Structure formats: C-alpha cells, structure tokens
Amino acid sequence: MVRLLTILLLLASPLAAQDRDTLNLELVLDERDATPLVGEMVLGTIRGIYRETIANEDLKLRDMTDFDWARLGQDDWSKQRIDGRTTLVFERRIAFFPKRSGTLEILPIAHELEIQGASGQREIVLVRSAPVRIEVGEKPAGAGDAWLPVRALEISETWSADAARLEDGQSVTRRVVLRALGATPEMMPEQPPLREPWLITFTPPAERDFQVTKHGPVTTLVWSWSLRPITGEPGVIPEVSIPYFDTEERMPRSVTMPAVPIGYASFEDNASSGWRKDPGIGWGHLGILTGIALLVVALAMRGRLGPASVLLQLRMQVHQRQELKRLKRYAESGDAARFRMLAQRLLQPFGPTQEPHQSVRQVDKELFGGDQRAGTADLRSIFRDVRHTILSRNNGS
C-alpha cells in the first residue's frame, strides 16, 4: 500500500530534471568592481539552456529573508547554436536588493517545464538553479533612515505661478519630481513638510510610478504642496537637501530643492513706491502727513508719547495712506474681490474681528450672496466710507 502511494505521488508531482544534461538553469550575477552595500541593487540574469521542445513553462522565484527582488522586463527566448547544436535559451533580467550585510545566499530558482517528446507525449519536469552566495557590505555609519543607494538621482520642479509675486490671497502649487535609477518605491525618501509659521501648507499624497528597464528599476516620485502666505510680507522657503549614495562613483551625493522667496506682489509694490522721487500721494496729502508728524512730535515733547511710539505712529499713517490709494484703484477698476480683502484688513481694528465691517457687507452680498449682476456694489461710495472711518479714527486719536 505504501509503495502504491509513493508511485502515485511521484506521478502527480513534477519530475526533477537535474540529472538531465539537456536542461540546465543558472543565475549569473553581473560583474562588479566593488562589494555591494545594504540596499544596493545587484543585477543578474536567470539563464536556462534547454535542448528539449518546451510546450509550457513557469519560473518560480520565491520570497527571500535576505533579499528583495524585482523582475526587469519580459522574458527573452531565443535559439542559439551552442557546442554545434541548436539550443533554446531562456533569459530573465532581475534585480536583487540585499536587506543586511554579511555573506548572503540567493536561494535556488525553480523553472517548471512541460517537455514534449518526439512521440508527442508530454512530461513535466522541474529545473533548479544552484544557490548563489554574495558578500554584502554595511552602509556607512550615520546613514540612518536617509540611506538611499542608487545609480542616479534626478530632481526637477515647477510652480503654478510666480511665488514671489502672488496676488492677494492667492495660493501657489509647488511640484517636485524625483527620479531614481536602481530603487524601488519603498526605498524613496519621505516628502519634506515645508512648514513655516507664516505659511499655510496643504500636502496631498505623493504620486509614485515604477518602471523596469534592463539596467534596473526606475522609480518616479512626485511631491506637491499648495502654499499660501498668511501675511503680505515676503518670506523664504528654505532649501531642502536630499542625500543619496552614488553606486557608480561610490561616493555620497545630494540633490537640492532650492530656497524660494514667496509673497504678495502688492507688498513689494507698496515698499518700492515709498522710495520714488514723486511722493505719489499728492501735495495736499503730503501736507496732512506733515501736520500729523508735527503733532506727534509735539505730543512726544510734552511727554505724552515716547520716541518709539512717535515712529510707530508715523509708519502706520504712511502705510495707511498707501493702502488707501491702492484701495481706490480697486474701486475704480471694479475689482470687488481685491477691494473687499484690502478694505476688511484696513477696517479690522475698527470693528469686531469675527464679522466683516459694516462698510464691506454690501460687497459681501455681491461676492457671496448669489447676486450675479456685475457691479451691484458701489465700490467708490464704499471707498469713501472706508477712508472716512480710518481718517476720522486717526484724527480722533
């Protein structure tokens, strides 16, 4: 009974073909000039030499404790003359990524073949490669989680707008593309946060793409950020360095996301207008400002204001005049959105912080109340109300 079960088991399983000189399978690693390091790509070719008629096949490459692996492209079948005989040659390119240092062993690879004999009878046999040992070096001390051994790393970036000259309240999208030859998606670095206290940042999930070539896998990583300054004053997003190990040159390198200035164009325009030869505010307004300056100086001399308060008052008055002039331009051009944003900012000290000032509520009706008729709000009249509120408060103080 036991003998019968053994025979049935052998008939149901593929037959080993290691003793057949017509079938041979081996793993040939590419020649190297240096010992690979942990995580570094090791290229090889699985090569089968078969002097049989193959009706069907299935290559079995199992998971390994010490290696990750990736198949590189389609299998290649060709007929070649070897030792004067026509031979069927099978080749598959493969990349191994060692997980630790030391002497590691790539386990045998099995190729299940369905052989068709001369009489038409078919037979299933299993061809196995011999195990391959390889020495793997440790990654450099201090490399840590940022360790990225690749053959090449490229970086590029695009912006949806000029970050240094944004319109008031505008957001801008920064898109960075990182391409690595010789890395899997799991090896790629995490997306930098780009957080600053003066910046609102939204970070969508990274996009990943994996392609294979005979020279190794190519992973493309796409990072994007939606950025909007909180204040009008320009700031600078600092540079970000991404280290990697160049496995061709055997040396550490890095690619850099450069530092980028970001801010609203209106702030720059206002700053530059203050240095023009033409005061830009009219001689009447200049006289009023001179009177204000004399007043605060007189108050300071009488001990009612300190020197620092005097300078602060002067700066505030000049800045308000410049902003009112810009608000007037928005009113004359009918730009309700920009008019509303600037007016609310100017009026914020004169009303509740959580509610829009009464002078701009009519603009809100046009922008947010569903009234689709263009120009329903009289921006010029509202501008006069805003200017009166600000100047009256200043004169009262």
Side-chain angles (χ1 to χ4, degrees):
M1 185 65 180
V2 174
R3 184 177 181 182
L4 177 60
L5 290 175
T6 303
I7 294 174
L8 291 175
L9 181 62
L10 290 173
L11 290 175
S13 303
L15 300 177
Q18 300 306 108
D19 57 344
R20 300 171 66 152
D21 60 1
T22 57
L23 301 172
N24 180 65
L25 184 70
E26 62 179 342
L27 171 63
V28 181
L29 299 182
D30 291 6
E31 293 186 2
R32 305 179 55 91
D33 296 329
T35 300
L37 304 179
V38 174
E40 181 178 347
M41 178 178 65
V42 177
L43 294 176
T45 302
I46 304 171
R47 193 167 191 260
I49 299 177
Y50 305 136
R51 295 190 177 96
E52 301 276 3
T53 301
I54 309 297
N56 202 358
E57 56 86 27
D58 182 21
L59 187 70
K60 301 175 187 271
L61 189 62
R62 51 185 166 168
D63 292 337
M64 304 180 198
T65 303
D66 293 334
F67 291 92
D68 288 325
W69 57 269
R71 176 178 175 176
L72 304 179
Q74 300 297 317
D75 298 339
D76 181 64
W77 290 86
S78 63
K79 288 185 178 181
Q80 302 178 21
R81 293 191 66 83
I82 300 177
D83 297 332
R85 298 176 60 184
T86 300
T87 305
L88 189 62
V89 177
F90 162 86
E91 289 186 338
R92 175 183 291 184
R93 291 288 285 169
I94 192 165
F96 295 95
F97 298 89
K99 298 180 182 179
R100 65 179 181 88
S101 60
T103 302
L104 308 185
E105 183 176 274
I106 300 176
L107 300 178
I109 300 166
H111 203 178
E112 184 178 296
L113 303 174
E114 185 176 350
I115 306 297
Q116 183 173 339
S119 62
Q121 184 180 3
R122 296 195 176 189
E123 170 187 18
I124 295 178
V125 298
L126 199 62
V127 187
R128 288 187 178 90
S129 67
V132 176
R133 291 191 173 184
I134 181 173
E135 291 293 330
V136 178
E138 184 58 81
K139 63 183 179 182
D145 295 336
W147 173 245
L148 180 63
V150 292
R151 285 195 169 186
L153 187 67
E154 299 176 351
I155 191 171
S156 62
E157 72 171 21
T158 56
W159 291 78
S160 61
D162 184 353
R165 297 190 59 82
L166 299 176
E167 297 181 1
D168 290 352
Q170 180 184 6
S171 296
V172 63
T173 299
R174 184 181 196 179
R175 188 172 184 271
V176 172
V177 179
L178 205 62
R179 297 181 73 249
L181 171 61
T184 62
E186 295 75 19
M187 297 169 58
M188 300 298 282
E190 294 295 326
Q191 183 167 353
L194 297 193
R195 293 193 185 98
E196 297 294 335
W198 44 268
L199 191 66
I200 297 175
T201 305
F202 172 71
T203 308
E207 303 172 28
R208 299 174 186 268
D209 181 64
F210 182 73
Q211 297 177 331
V212 293
T213 71
K214 289 189 176 182
H215 302 290
V218 176
T219 295
T220 301
L221 191 60
V222 180
W223 295 329
S224 59
W225 300 264
S226 180
L227 308 168
R228 180 162 63 89
I230 296 176
T231 63
E233 187 170 356
V236 176
I237 300 174
E239 71 174 30
V240 177
S241 180
I242 302 170
Y244 71 99
F245 183 79
D246 187 332
T247 59
E248 292 291 292
E249 299 295 331
R250 315 304 300 176
M251 63 183 299
R253 296 183 182 275
S254 66
V255 293
T256 302
M257 293 168 48
V260 179
I262 181 171
Y264 297 130
S266 60
F267 185 91
E268 180 181 337
D269 294 341
N270 288 339
S272 62
S273 67
W275 294 97
R276 297 184 306 177
K277 293 182 180 180
D278 175 13
I281 57 175
W283 291 108
H285 288 163
L286 185 60
I288 294 174
L289 289 178
T290 304
I292 293 172
L294 293 175
L295 176 60
V296 294
V297 170
L299 291 174
M301 293 178 65
R302 292 171 57 184
R304 295 176 59 181
L305 291 174
S309 297
V310 172
L311 293 176
L312 180 61
Q313 290 266 6
L314 283 173
R315 289 186 61 185
M316 289 179 59
Q317 297 289 346
V318 171
H319 180 68
Q320 282 181 349
R321 293 287 178 175
Q322 292 174 339
E323 292 292 78
L324 283 172
K325 185 177 180 182
R326 186 156 63 100
L327 187 67
K328 184 179 180 181
R329 291 201 302 269
Y330 291 156
E332 292 174 346
S333 63
D335 192 338
R338 291 185 179 179
F339 180 91
R340 193 268 181 202
M341 181 179 298
L342 181 55
Q344 178 60 21
R345 189 165 73 235
L346 290 172
L347 291 169
Q348 194 168 7
F350 310 119
T353 58
Q354 300 301 322
E355 296 291 336
H357 193 275
Q358 59 181 3
S359 296
V360 297
R361 288 176 186 170
Q362 187 177 350
V363 186
D364 287 353
K365 291 180 181 180
E366 178 178 337
L367 292 175
F368 312 116
D371 191 344
Q372 302 300 319
R373 292 175 298 165
T376 56
D378 187 353
L379 298 184
R380 297 188 181 187
S381 176
I382 298 173
F383 165 73
R384 289 192 291 270
D385 292 341
V386 173
R387 182 179 61 181
H388 177 73
T389 300
I390 294 174
L391 295 182
S392 297
R393 178 64 181 266
N394 291 338
N395 293 334
S397 61

